mmCIF file of all heavy atoms in Angstrom:
data_model
loop_
_atom_site.group_PDB
_atom_site.id
_atom_site.type_symbol
_atom_site.label_atom_id
_atom_site.label_comp_id
_atom_site.label_asym_id
_atom_site.label_seq_id
_atom_site.Cartn_x
_atom_site.Cartn_y
_atom_site.Cartn_z
ATOM 1 N N ASN A 357 111.468 80.009 50.118
ATOM 2 C CA ASN A 357 110.929 81.304 49.705
ATOM 3 C C ASN A 357 110.567 82.252 50.880
ATOM 4 O O ASN A 357 110.775 83.424 50.799
ATOM 5 C CB ASN A 357 109.663 81.111 48.820
ATOM 6 C CG ASN A 357 109.984 80.359 47.472
ATOM 7 O OD1 ASN A 357 111.137 80.436 47.041
ATOM 8 N ND2 ASN A 357 109.069 79.599 46.991
ATOM 9 N N GLU A 358 109.998 81.652 51.883
ATOM 10 C CA GLU A 358 109.625 82.438 53.080
ATOM 11 C C GLU A 358 110.795 83.035 53.734
ATOM 12 O O GLU A 358 110.900 84.172 54.186
ATOM 13 C CB GLU A 358 108.836 81.651 53.977
ATOM 14 C CG GLU A 358 108.295 82.443 55.219
ATOM 15 C CD GLU A 358 107.389 81.614 56.121
ATOM 16 O OE1 GLU A 358 107.249 80.383 55.773
ATOM 17 O OE2 GLU A 358 106.999 82.095 57.094
ATOM 18 N N LYS A 359 111.953 82.169 53.771
ATOM 19 C CA LYS A 359 113.120 82.733 54.400
ATOM 20 C C LYS A 359 113.725 83.801 53.528
ATOM 21 O O LYS A 359 114.307 84.804 54.055
ATOM 22 C CB LYS A 359 114.164 81.581 54.425
ATOM 23 C CG LYS A 359 113.747 80.468 55.423
ATOM 24 C CD LYS A 359 113.793 80.995 56.861
ATOM 25 C CE LYS A 359 113.513 79.830 57.805
ATOM 26 N NZ LYS A 359 113.447 80.350 59.258
ATOM 27 N N LYS A 360 113.611 83.753 52.214
ATOM 28 C CA LYS A 360 114.201 84.774 51.323
ATOM 29 C C LYS A 360 113.377 86.116 51.478
ATOM 30 O O LYS A 360 113.947 87.164 51.496
ATOM 31 C CB LYS A 360 114.106 84.249 49.803
ATOM 32 C CG LYS A 360 115.149 83.200 49.525
ATOM 33 C CD LYS A 360 115.025 82.880 48.059
ATOM 34 C CE LYS A 360 116.098 81.791 47.766
ATOM 35 N NZ LYS A 360 115.978 81.430 46.343
ATOM 36 N N LYS A 361 112.075 85.960 51.555
ATOM 37 C CA LYS A 361 111.291 87.150 51.891
ATOM 38 C C LYS A 361 111.643 87.853 53.168
ATOM 39 O O LYS A 361 111.741 88.990 53.195
ATOM 40 C CB LYS A 361 109.766 86.785 51.822
ATOM 41 C CG LYS A 361 109.229 86.360 50.439
ATOM 42 C CD LYS A 361 107.750 86.095 50.522
ATOM 43 C CE LYS A 361 107.220 85.622 49.203
ATOM 44 N NZ LYS A 361 105.728 85.325 49.233
ATOM 45 N N ASN A 362 111.887 87.011 54.169
ATOM 46 C CA ASN A 362 112.220 87.670 55.454
ATOM 47 C C ASN A 362 113.602 88.274 55.382
ATOM 48 O O ASN A 362 113.968 89.157 56.266
ATOM 49 C CB ASN A 362 112.178 86.539 56.539
ATOM 50 C CG ASN A 362 110.829 86.045 56.824
ATOM 51 O OD1 ASN A 362 109.815 86.738 56.474
ATOM 52 N ND2 ASN A 362 110.672 84.829 57.289
ATOM 53 N N GLN A 363 114.425 87.897 54.379
ATOM 54 C CA GLN A 363 115.797 88.399 54.385
ATOM 55 C C GLN A 363 115.829 89.692 53.662
ATOM 56 O O GLN A 363 116.828 90.405 53.674
ATOM 57 C CB GLN A 363 116.669 87.396 53.682
ATOM 58 C CG GLN A 363 118.095 87.592 53.744
ATOM 59 C CD GLN A 363 118.964 86.548 53.121
ATOM 60 O OE1 GLN A 363 118.395 85.632 52.562
ATOM 61 N NE2 GLN A 363 120.308 86.661 53.147
ATOM 62 N N ILE A 364 114.747 90.045 52.804
ATOM 63 C CA ILE A 364 114.786 91.265 52.017
ATOM 64 C C ILE A 364 114.918 92.523 52.861
ATOM 65 O O ILE A 364 115.734 93.355 52.545
ATOM 66 C CB ILE A 364 113.470 91.247 51.171
ATOM 67 C CG1 ILE A 364 113.563 90.109 50.002
ATOM 68 C CG2 ILE A 364 113.372 92.675 50.515
ATOM 69 C CD1 ILE A 364 112.340 90.062 49.244
ATOM 70 N N PRO A 365 114.185 92.719 53.916
ATOM 71 C CA PRO A 365 114.403 94.021 54.792
ATOM 72 C C PRO A 365 115.771 93.999 55.366
ATOM 73 O O PRO A 365 116.324 95.199 55.325
ATOM 74 C CB PRO A 365 113.316 93.759 55.925
ATOM 75 C CG PRO A 365 112.327 92.848 55.364
ATOM 76 C CD PRO A 365 113.046 91.931 54.498
ATOM 77 N N ASP A 366 116.305 92.950 55.800
ATOM 78 C CA ASP A 366 117.683 93.082 56.315
ATOM 79 C C ASP A 366 118.661 93.428 55.212
ATOM 80 O O ASP A 366 119.642 94.221 55.409
ATOM 81 C CB ASP A 366 118.141 91.736 56.880
ATOM 82 C CG ASP A 366 117.286 91.294 58.052
ATOM 83 O OD1 ASP A 366 116.668 92.300 58.721
ATOM 84 O OD2 ASP A 366 117.074 90.081 58.396
ATOM 85 N N GLN A 367 118.507 92.894 54.059
ATOM 86 C CA GLN A 367 119.309 93.198 52.826
ATOM 87 C C GLN A 367 119.210 94.738 52.509
ATOM 88 O O GLN A 367 120.183 95.409 52.248
ATOM 89 C CB GLN A 367 118.976 92.411 51.628
ATOM 90 C CG GLN A 367 119.893 92.605 50.526
ATOM 91 C CD GLN A 367 121.270 92.162 50.690
ATOM 92 O OE1 GLN A 367 121.526 91.223 51.596
ATOM 93 N NE2 GLN A 367 122.315 92.668 49.995
#
Side-chain angles (χ1 to χ4, degrees):
N357 294 332
E358 186 177 357
K359 294 292 184 182
K360 289 182 179 180
K361 290 181 180 179
N362 294 334
Q363 193 178 2
I364 291 175
D366 297 337
Q367 184 67 25

